[in-house]
Amino acid sequence: MEADIEGLRAFFVTAEELHFGRAGARLFISQQALSKRIRRLEEALGVPLFERTTRAVELTEAGRRLLPHAHEAVSAFDRAVQAVRSADEPLRVDVYDERFTPLRMVRQVSERDSRVQIELSMRQGLSVALPALRRQEIDAAFGRVHDTPAPWPTELVHRLVHLEQLHAFVPEDHHLADRSVLRPSDLREAGIAMPDPAGATEWRGYLMRLAERFGVPLRFNAPAIGQRHLVEQFLAEKAAVGLGEMSIDATGSGPCPHPDRRADAAAAVVARLAPAQSPATAAGAAAAPAVTRAS
C-alpha cells in the first residue's frame, strides 16, 4: 500500500482543523470516510499521525514532521493539475437547472463574446455542485450559498451576482388568480406547496426560512421531473401557491418568450410576489443566486 494524494489531503485538512467532524465537512466526506483515508495513510507510512482521545485530536511527532511536506505535496499536485489544462479549455459551469436564471446569464455571456467556450452541467443544487468544485471537476457554479449541508469550504469564494424576483403560480380558478401582486402575508391562509428540492438543501432552507419569517404554511410534494411536471403540480393545487421564476412557462410547454404573456385555459396564472421590505432581506421574496469558483 502506498500513500496517495487523497490521503495526504485528508491528513493536511485534519491537521489544520484537529477535529474529524470539521475536516470531513471541509472535504465533503463523512467522518467514517475521512478516518479510513487517514488510517490507510498511516498504514502506508507505518506510523500513527494523530493521537485521538474522547476530548481532543493532536498530531504525533511523526504527524508534525509530515505536515509541511503534505502541504507542499498537495499544493504541488493542485498546481500540476492546473498547469496541464489547455489554455483554450472551456469554462466548466454548473447552472443548476435549465429552467432558471443562471442558464440565461451564461447564454448572454456566450452570445456577447463567441470566443468564450462554456461547458454546462446541471446538478440541480449548489449543495450537489460543491463537491465537484472542490475536486476541480467544474470551475464555477450558481446557487444560494446559505443552508448548505456543511460549513462553507475555505478554499472557495463566492459573490452575489443577481437577485431574481419570485412569482406565484396558481390555477385560473384559484381565489388569488385575479391578483397581479402578492405579498408573503397574503399566502398565510393558502400556504405554499413546492416540489421537494431533493439534494438542493440550500433551496429547501430558503423556503423554510421564508415560510417561518412570514408565518406561511409550507408543504413539499414529490420532486418535479422536468418543467411540465412542475407546472402540473402547480395546477393541481386548489389552495396552496407555487413559487418560481417568471421564466417558467406557465403552460409547461417550454421557455416563455414574453414575461407579460397571458396564460391560456390550461395554464397557471402568474402574479409577482412582492418582498415585504426589499429584495436584499434574508427572508425576502427574491431569490439570490451567487456564483462560486475555486480559488
Side-chain angles (χ1 to χ4, degrees), residues 4-73:
D4 59 19
I5 197 67
E6 291 307 317
L8 289 172
R9 193 186 302 277
F11 163 74
F12 170 66
V13 172
T14 306
E16 281 194 326
E17 296 290 344
L18 291 178
H19 189 283
F20 275 68
R22 291 194 297 267
R26 278 183 56 181
L27 293 168
F28 277 79
I29 59 176
S30 67
Q31 291 188 48
Q32 181 181 11
L34 176 64
S35 295
K36 287 182 178 179
R37 291 186 185 183
I38 298 294
R39 187 162 56 249
R40 285 198 301 265
L41 180 61
E42 291 176 326
E43 291 173 355
L45 298 176
V47 293
L49 300 172
F50 293 99
E51 294 178 353
R52 306 169 180 86
T53 69
T54 56
R55 294 186 176 182
V57 176
E58 300 289 343
L59 285 168
T60 63
E61 179 59 33
R64 287 190 289 272
R65 291 197 303 270
L66 176 62
L67 182 56
H69 302 291
H71 186 193
E72 181 181 351

Side-chain angles (χ1 to χ4, degrees), residues 164-182:
E164 180 69 19
Q165 178 71 57
L166 285 183
H167 289 73
F169 290 76
V170 296
E172 280 194 327
D173 58 355
H174 194 278
H175 71 280
L176 295 174
D178 60 344
R179 304 278 293 276
S180 60
V181 177
L182 295 174

Side-chain angles (χ1 to χ4, degrees), residues 158-225:
H158 61 83
R159 69 185 180 93
L160 179 67
V161 295
H162 183 73
L163 289 174
E164 180 69 19
Q165 178 71 57
L166 285 183
H167 289 73
F169 290 76
V170 296
E172 280 194 327
D173 58 355
H174 194 278
H175 71 280
L176 295 174
D178 60 344
R179 304 278 293 276
S180 60
V181 177
L182 295 174
R183 294 192 174 277
S185 57
D186 296 329
L187 307 181
R188 286 176 182 151
E189 180 180 351
I192 299 170
M194 294 292 293
D196 193 316
T201 59
E202 69 278 8
W203 289 112
R204 175 186 291 275
Y206 174 82
L207 290 168
M208 293 177 67
R209 289 175 185 273
L210 176 69
E212 181 179 4
R213 168 66 176 81
F214 296 105
V216 178
L218 172 64
R219 169 168 46 87
F220 290 112
N221 297 320
I225 311 302

Side-chain angles (χ1 to χ4, degrees), residues 244-288:
E245 294 188 15
M246 188 64 190
S247 57
I248 296 175
D249 178 14
T251 68
S253 60
C256 181
H258 303 295
D260 58 351
R261 167 181 172 181
R262 290 183 56 83
D264 62 23
V269 176
V270 184
R272 182 169 62 87
L273 185 64
Q277 297 178 30
S278 71
T281 55

